[in-house]
Amino acid sequence: MHKKYFFKVVLVAVIFNEKKEILLAKRHRNETVLPGYWTIPGGKAEFDGNNSQDFLEKEVQREVLEEVGIKIKDLEYLDSHIHKSGKLNICFTAKIS
C-alpha cells in the first residue's frame, strides 16, 4: 500500500495597507506560544499532497480572516524556513482587500 505524506505548515502574511503600514496582531495573554507578543497574522494548515495548487494562498487568506477579520489579496511568496520544532514556516506579503 502506498503511504501518503502529511505535514503541517505555519502560514503568515505581512499585510500592507495603502500607506505601506504593516498590520500587527497582539497574541492573547493566555496563548501557550508567545503570550502577549505582537506578531504578523496567520496560522497552521495541514498538507497531505492532495491539496490544490493554490492551497497555501487559500489557507493563509482563511487564517488571516479567522485571526484578524480582514480579507487579503495580491499574495506573494516572501520566505520560508524550518522552525526548530520541525514545522515549515511560510511567509507571504499581501494587501488588504
Side-chain angles (χ1 to χ4, degrees), residues 48-97:
D48 67 5
N50 291 323
N51 305 88
S52 67
Q53 186 173 359
D54 57 352
F55 165 76
L56 296 175
E57 290 87 349
K58 285 181 180 178
E59 283 299 299
V60 75
Q61 288 173 319
R62 182 189 61 76
E63 283 291 340
V64 168
L65 183 60
E66 180 181 297
E67 294 292 322
V68 294
I70 63 168
K71 292 183 179 182
I72 57 174
K73 64 180 181 179
D74 300 336
L75 278 77
E76 292 185 25
Y77 171 80
L78 179 63
D79 193 28
S80 59
H81 69 275
I82 304 290
H83 186 269
K84 64 182 177 182
S85 67
K87 290 186 180 133
L88 174 61
N89 293 311
I90 303 173
C91 184
F92 293 88
T93 60
K95 295 177 184 171
I96 297 173
S97 276

Side-chain angles (χ1 to χ4, degrees), residues 5-54:
Y5 60 93
F6 173 83
F7 60 92
K8 293 181 182 180
V9 295
V10 177
L11 302 168
V12 296
V14 178
I15 303 166
F16 295 92
N17 67 10
E18 60 281 342
K19 296 179 187 177
K20 303 274 187 196
E21 297 169 320
I22 297 173
L23 175 70
L24 294 176
K26 186 161 180 145
R27 297 177 61 82
H28 193 276
R29 67 176 186 263
N30 294 333
E31 291 279 345
T32 56
V33 177
L34 302 172
Y37 278 64
W38 289 94
T39 186
I40 54 177
K44 297 179 192 92
E46 297 176 346
F47 186 78
D48 67 5
N50 291 323
N51 305 88
S52 67
Q53 186 173 359
D54 57 352

